[in-house]
Amino acid sequence: MSFKIGCHLSSAGGYLAMGQTAVSIGANVFQFFTRNPRGGAAKPIDPADVKAFLAFAEENGIGPILAHAPYTLNAAAAEPRIRDFAEMTMADDLKRLALTPGALYNFHPGSHVGQGAEKGIELISDLLVRVLKEAGDCTTTVLLETMAGKGSEVGRVFEEVKAIIDRTEAQRDNGLPLGVCLDTCHVWDGGYDIAGDLDGVLRQFDEVIGLSRLKAIHLNDSMNALSAHKDRHAPIGKGKIGLDALAAVINHPLLRDLPFYLETPCDLDGYRKEIELLKGLRK
Ligand code: FE
Ligand code: FE
Ligand code: ZN
């Protein structure tokens, strides 16, 4: 299977512009924010732009595209108003994603803000059940992102991700599929040594969550040491995870067919160079 590699792109110019930008930097997948990550309403979608993009994506072998929910949402908030906002936003995002079949939709599970991880897991799952069921005829797969464990973030350990999935699945019998997006910087900062023992980390992922749930990789280096719980992304090969370890990630038999999305601190030309570098390391 071909190497699916791309990066986070600005959605300011619409879908076709993102597709064209992706191709111009050697990418065949990309990620984008569904709306301003700091909140606010999403721009109306232009059906002509979506149509042009879908044709362009087909021609150029682009996809799957990964829509990232605003990182300010908190499905585990203590205040109902904040949880309701997260639910409304996610439901609206999924309605919009119905226009781009087969997309992935990634969100940060949330922060329990002192209520405890168990309560956080309950709140996130219960919200997810409603969001997944209400999504109608959308063909999106919804992904929980593995987190670094900054503050009271839920989803640092695989067990928490699994608990959210289990509680969600137990409460529903229909709706959109649920998967996981593994962020290499986050799991590293969260304490999983993907540089020293990638096989061991994947074994743990498989035992706890199940590798069949893994649908996407955020490929980032980390500014910080293993278990730092910080979440600061570094350019590929310029951080503590290192180039050799990231090369092992893109080539690992259990991971190599997944789509890889860079979220490194880079401008477009930086992304072009990283993509070129990684293509050169692909076996
Ligand atoms: Fe994220
Ligand atoms: Fe990420
Ligand atoms: Zn991050």
Side-chain angles (χ1 to χ4, degrees), residues 97-108:
L97 286 167
L99 298 171
T100 48
L104 303 170
Y105 180 57
N106 176 68
F107 77 106
H108 295 180

Side-chain angles (χ1 to χ4, degrees), residues 68 106 108 145 186 218 263:
H68 196 307
N106 176 68
H108 295 180
E145 181 166 356
H186 295 180
H218 280 166
E263 304 175 304

